[in-house]
Amino acid sequence: MTRVELRSVDELMDLLHACRGAWDTPDRSGDPVDLHDHALQTAALLRRGHPSDKELQLAGLVHDIGHLLHPGDDAGHADTAAAAVRGLLGERVARLVQLHVPAKRYLATSDPARGLSPQSALTLETQGGPMTPEEAAAFAHDPLADDAVTLRQADDAGKVVGLDAGVMEDWRPVVELVAQGYRSSNFTPSLRS
Ligand SMILES: [Fe+2]
Ligand SMILES: [Fe+2]
């Protein structure tokens, strides 16, 4: 399968716009909102709870673009999305995106009474099912575990049909800010003799 790496803010924004009318399952048997509304709702929930954490908000915005990049590959969609944004938005955003599936498996073990959408419950099994106690303990030790769980909770709540969660283009300045921050953190000035 071809690995996609997004190179610019424009490329990412184009992909996010293309999420309108795209679904987590190609036959639309999955979640009841399209990937565009799901992205906006997830990001808006994270912005409300964590207004200063732009990286967490963006991780919520882009977490499911793997469904668009490789339709039908549910088991790999988190890794696909993480690889696509890593070079543009940095390692923390990429890892949070990657962890949105393990976080679901973790919560299925640590909080089994928690409700999942029918589609999420269905795909949980193909994604490995609930974590074993050992896997859950290892997950809990990850420095990003709490943030990944926060993202996952917003992910599960961001599936409300007809809920207006804003406009995709309003996220462009946030994407630019985080991309710029990541670029500058990577910039090593060359030494002149
Ligand atoms: Fe997902
Ligand atoms: Fe999602």
Side-chain angles (χ1 to χ4, degrees), residues 47-68:
R47 183 172 54 194
R48 191 188 304 163
H50 301 265
S52 61
D53 193 344
K54 307 289 185 213
E55 290 182 344
L56 180 62
Q57 296 163 23
L58 285 194
L61 191 73
V62 305
H63 75 282
D64 269 343
I65 58 172
H67 287 307
L68 196 67

Side-chain angles (χ1 to χ4, degrees), residues 57-171:
Q57 296 163 23
L58 285 194
L61 191 73
V62 305
H63 75 282
D64 269 343
I65 58 172
H67 287 307
L68 196 67
L69 294 169
H70 293 150
D73 179 23
D74 198 86
H77 81 281
D79 291 343
T80 299
V85 301
R86 180 168 278 112
L88 186 65
L89 301 177
E91 185 62 24
R92 179 165 176 255
V93 174
R95 287 214 63 237
L96 287 171
V97 167
Q98 195 165 28
L99 288 172
H100 88 269
V101 169
K104 174 167 123 180
R105 297 184 56 229
Y106 171 75
L107 284 166
T109 298
S110 64
D111 184 10
R114 195 178 75 102
L116 283 175
S117 72
Q119 178 63 12
S120 257
L122 190 73
T123 52
L124 176 62
E125 293 314 313
T126 62
Q127 291 161 345
M131 284 182 169
T132 64
E134 294 74 26
E135 285 174 325
F139 178 90
H141 272 97
D142 190 306
L144 289 180
D146 287 350
D147 290 340
V149 165
T150 300
L151 191 159
R152 184 68 222 187
Q153 286 163 339
D155 179 5
D156 291 331
K159 302 178 179 180
V160 181
V161 177
L163 178 71
D164 181 0
V167 175
M168 190 61 80
E169 208 46 33
D170 287 349
W171 284 97

